[in-house]
């Protein structure tokens, strides 16, 4: 099979982890190739995510690299065995590879922590809100791409709607809830959706209020995806020209600390089991209710 021209994020991540382990073990590409009866070029392609490595070959490499059986070993073996086929494949050729990578990353995450400063996270959007967002982002307003984009965004939500759902924690800046997307009716429906989805036992929604200062703006939008082990966690940063994925421990630890700080500064989480008027202090639920009733 010829090398892939567009490796998925899963393929690239597996290759990057193997390269990191090989270098840490002090082995050359030629030495690694000898372990699996291949040439150096194949090892380079494996580490670039362009070709797969057979289960037996991966087992030999991990052993030689000093990666003993445990969470990381099992996590890498699972990544290699995963054929990468999922519901997102039907959007191949319609949406770009970054969107497909995001869906696969979400589907395999053990938990998701999200900070959004300018819009409601896609995982929590209503169909109307998603359509308004896709329309604003479209270069040309044509029904089919927008329809497919909305469909794709809603399909991503299955990771929190299924049972058991993936633990999901969102910290959303108050400014995102003030921003009129589409119409007042769409915004009221979207705010109602935030309260409804917070009823799920594995979903936590917090609002970062204006009164908490500028830390949210400093941190910028990002998401943390938990892997089967800490070494396989991923940070996703939103950039004007696309997203950036970070894997190094220093970045994961840094953004984990930032997220913890955001949760401390944000209002207490939405608790839909209690009525907002019964709350003694200000919290995310009372703020969302206030905005929902004040929306013109």
């Amino acid at each position: 099979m010829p090398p892939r021209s567009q490796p998925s994020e899963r393929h690239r991540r597996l290759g990057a982890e193997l390269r990191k382990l090989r270098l840490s073990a002090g082995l050359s590409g030629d030495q690694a190739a000898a372990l699996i009866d291949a040439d150096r070029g194949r090892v380079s392609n494996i580490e670039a995510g362009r070709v797969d490595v057979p289960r037996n070959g991966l087992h030999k490499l991990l052993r030689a690299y000093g990666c003993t059986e445990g969470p990381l070993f099992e996590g890498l073996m699972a990544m290699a065995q995963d054929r990468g086929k999922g519901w997102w494949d039907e959007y191949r050729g319609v949406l770009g590879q970054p969107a497909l990578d995001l869906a696969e990353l979400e589907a395999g995450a053990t938990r998701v922590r999200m900070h959004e400063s300018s819009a409601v996270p896609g995982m929590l959007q209503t169909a109307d809100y998603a359509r308004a967002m896709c329309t604003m982002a479209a270069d040309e307003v044509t029904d089919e791409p927008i329809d497919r984009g909305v469909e794709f965004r809603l399909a991503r939500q299955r990771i929190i709607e299924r049972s058991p759902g993936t633990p999901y924690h969102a910290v959303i800046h108050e400014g995102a809830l003030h921003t009129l997307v589409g119409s007042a009716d769409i915004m009221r429906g979207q705010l109602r959706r935030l309260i409804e989805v917070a009823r799920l036992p594995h979903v936590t929604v917090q609002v970062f209020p204006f009164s908490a200062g500028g830390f949210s703006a400093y941190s910028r939008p990002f998401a943390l995806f938990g892997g089967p082990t800490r070494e396989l966690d991923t940070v996703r940063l939103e950039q004007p020209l696309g997203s950036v994925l970070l894997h190094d421990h220093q970045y994961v630890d840094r953004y984990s600390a930032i997220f913890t700080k955001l949760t401390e500064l944000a209002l207490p989480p939405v608790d839909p089991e209690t009525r907002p008027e019964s709350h003694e202090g200000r919290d995310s639920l009372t703020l969302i209710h206030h905005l929902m009733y004040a929306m013109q």
Side-chain angles (χ1 to χ4, degrees):
M1 181 178 295
R4 302 181 185 92
S5 59
Q6 283 191 311
S8 70
E9 164 57 17
R10 178 178 57 83
H11 293 129
R12 293 193 300 270
R13 181 65 184 276
L14 175 61
E17 292 298 322
L18 289 176
R19 184 175 188 276
K20 187 188 304 181
L21 289 169
R22 176 177 64 77
L23 293 176
S24 179
L27 296 178
S28 67
D30 289 328
Q31 289 173 311
L35 293 169
I36 56 174
D37 298 322
D39 57 28
R40 184 175 182 176
R42 183 164 186 83
V43 170
S44 295
N45 278 327
I46 289 172
E47 293 180 352
R50 290 190 290 266
V51 298
D52 294 323
V53 54
R55 178 182 174 83
N56 289 342
L58 178 58
H59 195 280
K60 290 179 181 178
L61 291 177
L62 292 177
R63 289 288 192 181
Y65 295 165
C67 182
T68 57
E69 291 193 19
L72 179 57
F73 183 96
E74 297 301 328
L76 293 174
M77 292 295 291
M79 288 175 70
Q81 293 173 56
D82 188 350
R83 297 297 91 189
K85 297 296 183 181
W87 62 265
W88 50 88
D89 281 308
E90 66 182 89
Y91 294 89
R92 200 171 298 279
V94 178
L95 301 177
Q97 189 62 45
L100 306 182
D101 285 343
L102 174 59
E104 186 174 15
L105 193 58
E106 291 170 338
T110 55
R111 66 169 174 162
V112 179
R113 290 170 288 170
M114 165 72 67
H115 168 236
E116 181 57 71
S117 58
S118 59
V120 173
M123 199 69 68
L124 306 179
Q125 292 178 7
T126 65
D128 288 339
Y129 187 99
R131 178 174 297 280
M133 291 291 292
C134 288
T135 299
M136 287 189 294
D139 293 330
E140 296 180 6
V141 180
T142 55
D143 290 340
E144 184 174 352
I146 291 175
D147 286 344
R148 294 290 276 171
V150 172
E151 184 182 280
F152 178 81
R153 190 166 299 188
L154 297 181
R156 288 172 45 212
Q157 298 177 5
R158 67 186 67 189
I159 72 163
I160 60 173
E161 294 174 344
R162 67 193 178 192
S163 181
T166 301
Y168 183 89
H169 190 162
V171 177
I172 308 169
H173 195 279
E174 181 181 349
L177 307 184
H178 281 274
T179 302
L180 187 67
V181 175
S183 68
D185 284 343
I186 288 175
M187 288 304 302
R188 279 190 289 268
Q190 178 59 71
L191 294 172
R192 191 178 303 113
R193 166 67 174 167
L194 291 179
I195 298 173
E196 292 171 351
V197 77
R199 290 193 174 98
L200 298 172
H202 52 279
V203 175
T204 302
V205 176
Q206 287 182 267
V207 177
F208 191 99
F210 290 127
S211 59
F215 186 79
S216 178
Y218 155 75
S219 62
R220 310 283 293 175
F222 67 89
L224 284 156
F225 298 96
T229 180
R230 174 178 171 275
E231 291 90 342
L232 297 178
D233 287 356
T234 299
V235 178
R236 184 176 187 268
L237 303 181
E238 292 288 349
Q239 304 287 353
L241 298 179
S243 60
V244 176
L245 300 177
L246 305 174
H247 308 129
D248 288 350
H249 296 169
Q250 60 178 325
Y251 298 122
V252 173
D253 291 346
R254 175 59 178 154
Y255 278 94
S256 292
I258 290 174
F259 189 82
T260 297
K261 183 69 173 178
L262 286 165
T263 63
E264 293 170 349
L265 293 173
L267 296 173
V270 170
D271 180 5
E273 299 304 318
T274 57
R275 298 178 63 83
E277 59 268 23
S278 68
H279 293 198
E280 295 183 1
R282 191 176 185 227
D283 61 11
S284 296
L285 179 60
T286 55
L287 178 55
I288 292 174
H289 266 284
H290 170 74
L291 294 175
M292 188 165 59
Y293 295 134
M295 190 66 64
Q296 297 296 323

